[in-house]
Amino acid sequence: MSTHPGYRVQDPATDQVVETFDALQDAEIDPVLARAAEAQRAWAARPIEERGEVVRKVADLFAERKDELARIIAEEMGKRVAEGVEEAEFCEAIFGYFAEKGPALAADRPIETFSGGRAMIRHLPLGVLLGIMPWNFPYYQIARFAAPNLMLGNAIVLKHAEICPRSAQAVQRIMDDAGVPEGVYTNVFATHEQIATIIADPRVQGVSLTGSERAGAVVGALAGQHLKKAVLELGGSDPYIVLDTDDVAEAARTAWATRMYNMGQACNSNKRMIVSADLHDAFVAELVSLAQAMRPGESASEDETVYTPLSSRAAAEALAEQVARAREQGATVHVGGELTDDAGAYFSPTVITGVTAEMDAYREELFGPVAVVYRADSAEEALALANDSQYGLGGAVFSRDQELAEGVARRLEVGMANVNTPAGEGAEIPFGGVKRSGFGRELGPLGMDEFVNKQLYFVHD
């Protein structure tokens, strides 16, 4: 397995390192944090509407530069160019939403008091925040964290994934060009050791991480040790329950398109498809025919039967190992599960059935183009299977009987439950999970409720 430590662009189609970047020097940490702390105080002192004008410009620049932004991540982590454009457009929507709604969301909230006087909750910034972001949505992940916190008057130090240095720099340019003051948003190519130093620093008031459970456990422990507020958005193995349908082939096509988005590298992808026994075989047959029709190709292709590489050769090898282990333990791999060459990160789309509770694949997250289908004899059995997971990010329930679907969806142990759609999505829709999928919420009204001092302000009569 090839390993290239450090910040670099490593083309996932070939595994070739295209460009390397210097990591932050230890001596640079203090000046970065000193600048951030000073800039944050000045930024927080400006009226929120003024901050909103700057955040609105950030939104506009994401829209203006979407084609260039998409090309950058196609080379960094293999994302289909059309999906990269969509991602940049979503960032425009997120920054735009918080620019517009932020002043109302952060407004003073009067509360009832029984002892005379006036009581209210104020929403004040915490200070300097550290963001640790993953490679799977290099822009969107930053937007979810940065947009509400810039509106609140926090300052951001941003550490991106080691394979996303160009997209990290592109976002820094957007912030600078939009008029975000120097020090209010700072991209750093920090090492893991430096991250620990930054979290420990008293000038840093909080840390937000999107990533693996393992990374979340490390960062959560550091945050706890130093008494810092943390938001963790970790892995998922979302259930996708199909109780009944008028058109089983169409239901399978929707499930497949959802699973293949970003080559299956989404935290809230439908990793466990739980299908009624009477539909199961026809559903699986349709998935298999869809998988068989797919061929490796270029990120620039608009053809839905073309699949692009995973983020890295290492990721593809790890997924191949998980699929091989499922097969060894007795699951049926109907199609796919193969690395298509000796170097790149192309991994053939896969359909698996027959996974049981004794197998590793039952518990693990499969981060890639793998559809795992379970058979359920009843809605109750489907629900029990859905909730038998250490994860609790999202989930979806489909049925012609909406009341039945809603009854099942309401009992899902997840942060985001959806009825008759793979996922409710939008700048206004909160995102986050429970159990080992982490804690805290991003986006929507809850996105401005995390890194904030909800100060009680009481005036005696």
Side-chain angles (χ1 to χ4, degrees), residues 30-72:
D30 187 70
V32 162
L33 295 181
R35 224 179 9 253
E38 189 180 348
Q40 186 272 325
R41 282 190 289 274
W43 180 241
R46 289 165 71 169
I48 192 169
E49 291 76 13
E50 243 180 65
R51 295 196 293 268
E53 286 166 23
V54 176
V55 171
R56 177 70 255 173
K57 283 185 193 138
V58 172
D60 296 341
L61 290 176
F62 267 101
E64 209 174 285
R65 299 176 186 180
K66 62 188 179 186
D67 295 320
E68 175 204 347
L69 294 173
R71 280 194 300 274
I72 290 170

Side-chain angles (χ1 to χ4, degrees), residues 203-442:
R203 289 167 291 198
V204 173
Q205 297 302 317
V207 55
S208 179
L209 171 133
T210 298
S212 67
E213 275 178 278
R214 198 167 53 91
V218 171
V219 167
L222 282 167
Q225 187 186 332
H226 297 290
L227 303 177
K228 305 291 169 79
K229 159 82 182 180
V231 166
L232 302 177
E233 198 269 278
L234 310 177
S237 190
D238 289 11
Y240 186 96
I241 301 172
V242 182
L243 295 173
D244 57 72
T245 175
D246 286 325
D247 185 342
V248 69
E250 178 56 33
R253 285 193 290 273
T254 300
W256 183 252
T258 304
R259 190 67 187 100
M260 289 303 115
Y261 196 82
N262 203 32
M263 286 309 296
Q265 301 167 117
C267 305
N268 63 327
S269 187
N270 51 340
K271 295 176 190 132
R272 294 181 299 140
M273 302 178 194
I274 301 167
V275 180
S276 284
D278 56 333
L279 309 174
H280 177 275
D281 293 355
F283 188 93
V284 170
E286 181 67 22
L287 293 182
V288 169
S289 77
L290 290 164
Q292 283 169 337
M294 294 187 79
R295 298 286 174 266
E298 299 289 315
S299 295
S301 172
E302 300 271 337
D303 184 344
E304 280 172 18
T305 64
V306 164
Y307 65 89
T308 60
L310 296 188
S311 63
S312 68
R313 175 70 183 187
E317 286 176 0
L319 186 61
E321 203 176 288
Q322 284 178 299
V323 171
R325 201 162 61 240
R327 187 189 272 121
E328 282 158 24
Q329 293 174 350
T332 302
V333 179
H334 295 261
V335 58
E338 304 293 331
L339 294 163
T340 58
D341 62 41
D342 295 335
Y346 284 98
F347 181 89
S348 57
T350 309
V351 179
I352 302 178
T353 60
V355 172
T356 62
E358 296 71 49
M359 300 177 191
D360 295 341
Y362 187 86
R363 302 276 166 216
E364 291 174 346
E365 177 179 28
L366 299 173
F367 211 63
V370 180
V372 181
V373 188
Y374 295 84
R375 182 192 302 265
D377 288 319
S378 66
E380 285 304 314
E381 189 184 339
L383 179 68
L385 191 53
N387 286 338
D388 187 16
S389 172
Q390 61 186 350
Y391 296 110
L393 195 52
V397 185
F398 294 81
S399 172
R400 288 167 301 195
D401 179 346
Q402 188 171 317
E403 204 177 320
L404 172 65
E406 288 202 40
V408 174
R410 283 203 181 94
R411 291 156 67 199
L412 288 173
E413 294 164 1
V414 298
M416 304 174 282
N418 302 278
V419 176
N420 287 334
T421 180
E425 284 190 337
E428 76 287 3
I429 304 287
F431 190 104
V434 294
K435 299 200 268 192
R436 292 186 72 87
S437 292
F439 43 77
R441 294 293 181 269
E442 296 183 305

